[in-house]
Amino acid sequence: MAVRNSNKYDRQLRIWGDQGQLALEQANVCLLNCGPTGAEALKNLVLGGIGSCTIVDDSKVETRDLGNNFFVDWESIGLPKAKTVCAFLQELNDTVEAKFVEESPEALLNSNPEFFFQFTLIIATQMKEQSLLALDSICRKRNVMLLIARSYGLTGLIRICVKEHCVIESKPDNAINDLRLQKPWAELKRFADELDAEIDDPVIHKHIPFAVLLIKATEDWRKTHAGSLPYTSKEKAEFKVSLASKKHGEDEDNYKEAISSAYRVWSPPTIGSELQRVLDDSAVEVNSSSPDFWVMVAALKEFISNEGEGDAPLDGTIPDMTSTTEYYVTLQKIYQEKAELHVTALEARVKNILKRIGRDPQSITKSAIKLFCKNARNIRVLRYPPLEDEFNSIIGHELQKLLEVEENSNATFYVLLRGVDHFASSYNRYPGVFDDELEEDAMKLKTLSTTLLNKMIGGGVGGAVLSDDLVSEMCRFGASEIHTVASIIGGIASQEAIKLLTRQFTPLPGVLIYNGIDSTTSVLQLKSFA
């Protein structure tokens, strides 16, 4: 299936590729409430080229909306906000199918919960706790992804609600090329042996790839060190000095690259803790209903114990390096051919597992297996507990630590953002909406929030104290949506939505709190996110 309008999406295709763009184009997104926070989030997804979107909101455009929502205008005052925002968003990208439902999200939750089953992702903005609890329960029944975003004055939060999110292309910032310099296979060793590092020709000498130089240096080191690699700091320094001694001149960049990359010899990529956790997951015991991801993980586990000899599949990529074109292309081909052999081996194991569990051995394509192999070292699995666990359970020690470290900690905003919902449930309005009741509301909010904090921590709050200044600030906000804050929260929400929809990059592992007063963010992991 081809990407629509590849020229239009050229720049983003460079980030998440055809596969990521196709995932966006097949996505059906629902936005609940289209105030500035929701409109900003959906705007970015519409521009990104999602397949379709539906806005659910029963409010009318009011004069005050003109000051914080770019997707309404004077002519739309008194008209349905969902219809107005939908029309403006449609103008940004006419390939997106945009619809609206003029109904309250809360009413729709009660009258027609099946409505939400049709969507790939739901973005819930500016909704209260009780409604979010019901929505989370509905979404989990049908594995619909839920993203919660809220802006409140100068603060806001974002949280993800998904039973399980598996990521193949996590694209870590610190990924290291797997070159297997300390244990080259036959073809790689043969190529290295064919190149003479002692050659007198200065042009050839300065264009021997650093990978070859390190393979040769490692072999020489092992001959004089009982087969072991450099281990101590002194030995590592000696290894680099030995490499430097083979230079013929100061202009040999390949030797500089070899010395700076020497760590690859004694610190090669290994089975990291994140990957090991996935391999040890109970879901690896697959059955006929297991997702393709876990079938491939089960095959990966078998591969590592057999063909991989304790290592993950080779990804087949090599970094840029000083070299002749001929040497570089030959080296690249050697790595690619070895990676292809690993793909073939893993594919055979995938087919055997599929056959064993009673599924079609061809049901997982080779292209999917190849993508999995290429990223096997960095696969991730995140599980988010139900909101009910977070809202109605003791989530204490980590939160208490954060509150005790700094009085004006961002963790305080987490408590107060929940506190204002409890205030609204008790008094049928948010604190601070009436100027002449600010002080009284602040006292009420602090009492409610302290009670809530006591429940969350599971006893006395100890050293954790809610700042009077921040309580007063929350009341001063009066539940307002400030556009600058809404654009930040909406922007982050759309970024997380793209991560979820494309299954690329690693989404937030906890609750993100934005503090517009100090211009900081914190991610609170209040439960165990697998």
Side-chain angles (χ1 to χ4, degrees), residues 152 416 419-420 423-424 427-449 468 470-479:
Y152 194 100
L416 292 176
V420 294
F423 186 105
Y427 300 101
N428 203 30
R429 64 175 178 83
Y430 282 105
V433 294
F434 301 119
D435 290 343
D436 58 349
E437 297 184 21
L438 278 175
E439 290 187 11
E440 183 181 349
D441 284 357
M443 293 174 60
K444 292 176 179 177
L445 178 60
K446 183 162 187 178
T447 299
L448 285 169
S449 299
D468 287 337
L470 292 187
V471 172
S472 296
E473 278 295 291
M474 291 298 286
C475 291
R476 193 172 68 86
F477 297 157

Side-chain angles (χ1 to χ4, degrees), residues 1-5 9 20-27 48-52:
M1 191 173 176
V3 172
R4 299 177 309 196
N5 304 310
Y9 303 124
Q21 188 62 36
L22 282 172
L24 288 181
E25 292 179 0
Q26 293 167 2
I50 55 172
S52 59

Side-chain angles (χ1 to χ4, degrees), residues 35-274:
T37 306
E40 289 291 335
L42 191 56
K43 172 204 70 176
N44 295 327
L45 297 180
V46 167
L47 288 171
I50 55 172
S52 59
C53 63
T54 301
I55 298 173
V56 179
D57 193 320
D58 69 337
S59 62
K60 306 291 185 183
V61 178
E62 300 178 19
T63 304
R64 63 181 182 181
D65 293 320
L66 302 179
N68 66 359
N69 194 332
F70 285 135
F71 296 95
V72 297
D73 58 13
W74 281 105
E75 287 72 26
S76 60
I77 292 176
L79 297 177
K81 190 184 294 183
K83 180 180 180 180
T84 302
V85 172
C86 185
F88 276 104
L89 288 175
Q90 183 76 78
E91 290 181 11
L92 298 178
N93 192 341
D94 58 10
T95 64
V96 177
E97 182 185 355
K99 297 177 287 187
F100 68 93
V101 175
E102 192 181 351
E103 189 170 351
S104 160
E106 290 80 6
L108 199 55
L109 274 169
N110 293 324
S111 64
N112 186 17
E114 292 81 10
F115 169 83
F116 299 98
F117 294 165
Q118 64 184 294
F119 299 106
T120 313
L121 170 71
I122 295 172
I123 303 176
T125 66
Q126 309 304 102
M127 293 183 68
K128 297 177 183 177
E129 275 194 14
Q130 290 305 311
S131 297
L132 291 174
L133 284 168
L135 181 61
D136 181 46
S137 177
I138 289 169
C139 289
R140 285 175 183 271
K141 288 179 182 177
R142 291 298 180 92
N143 291 320
V144 176
M145 295 183 286
L146 173 61
L147 179 63
I148 298 168
R150 183 177 194 178
S151 59
Y152 194 100
L154 292 176
T155 186
L157 67 77
I158 295 169
R159 61 155 60 81
I160 294 168
C161 300
V162 181
K163 279 202 292 190
E164 179 178 276
H165 185 68
C166 302
V167 184
I168 294 176
E169 297 179 84
S170 64
K171 302 183 180 182
D173 294 332
N174 57 348
I176 299 175
N177 292 99
D178 184 4
L179 300 179
R180 310 283 168 102
L181 302 175
Q182 75 288 359
K183 52 176 182 180
W185 59 96
E187 292 80 7
L188 179 57
K189 188 176 186 308
R190 189 180 306 118
F191 175 70
D193 290 343
E194 289 173 356
L195 300 185
D196 183 6
E198 305 296 330
I199 194 169
D200 292 330
D201 188 321
V203 175
I204 294 178
H205 193 266
K206 68 170 62 174
H207 286 91
I208 298 173
F210 82 75
V212 171
L213 295 177
L214 287 173
I215 290 170
K216 288 179 175 292
T218 302
E219 187 176 2
D220 292 342
W221 177 274
R222 279 178 158 155
K223 287 177 181 176
T224 58
H225 291 80
S228 62
L229 295 171
Y231 181 72
T232 65
S233 297
K234 181 180 178 182
E235 288 176 339
K236 293 172 184 177
E238 288 175 359
F239 183 88
K240 292 181 180 180
V241 169
S242 176
L243 258 178
S245 69
K246 294 179 170 59
K247 290 195 299 183
H248 289 180
E250 290 303 316
D251 63 338
E252 295 190 321
D253 290 337
N254 58 335
Y255 274 89
K256 294 176 184 177
E257 291 170 359
I259 292 167
S260 65
S261 299
Y263 70 91
R264 298 173 187 266
V265 171
W266 52 78
S267 299
T270 58
I271 304 297
S273 58
E274 291 278 358

Side-chain angles (χ1 to χ4, degrees), residues 381-441:
V381 175
L382 292 93
R383 295 190 179 101
Y384 299 85
L387 278 183
E388 186 176 8
D389 287 2
E390 179 185 330
F391 287 169
N392 298 327
S393 303
I394 296 173
I395 56 176
H397 300 302
E398 184 64 25
L399 180 61
Q400 186 166 8
K401 286 178 185 176
L402 291 169
L403 290 167
E404 290 175 356
V405 166
E406 184 181 350
E407 185 179 88
N408 290 345
S409 161
N410 290 351
T412 303
F413 280 123
Y414 170 80
V415 179
L416 292 176
L417 283 167
R418 290 194 57 193
V420 294
D421 276 349
H422 285 242
F423 186 105
S425 296
S426 299
Y427 300 101
N428 203 30
R429 64 175 178 83
Y430 282 105
V433 294
F434 301 119
D435 290 343
D436 58 349
E437 297 184 21
L438 278 175
E439 290 187 11
E440 183 181 349
D441 284 357

Side-chain angles (χ1 to χ4, degrees), residues 7 14 19 43 62 93 103 125 173 175 207 209 211 237 294 327 343 352 383 432 434 481 499 501 511 515:
N7 289 335
R14 298 164 193 257
Q19 185 165 335
K43 172 204 70 176
E62 300 178 19
N93 192 341
E103 189 170 351
T125 66
D173 294 332
H207 286 91
W294 286 110
Y327 289 165
V343 171
N352 286 336
R383 295 190 179 101
F434 301 119
E481 279 188 88
K499 292 178 184 178
L501 292 171
V511 183
N515 176 350

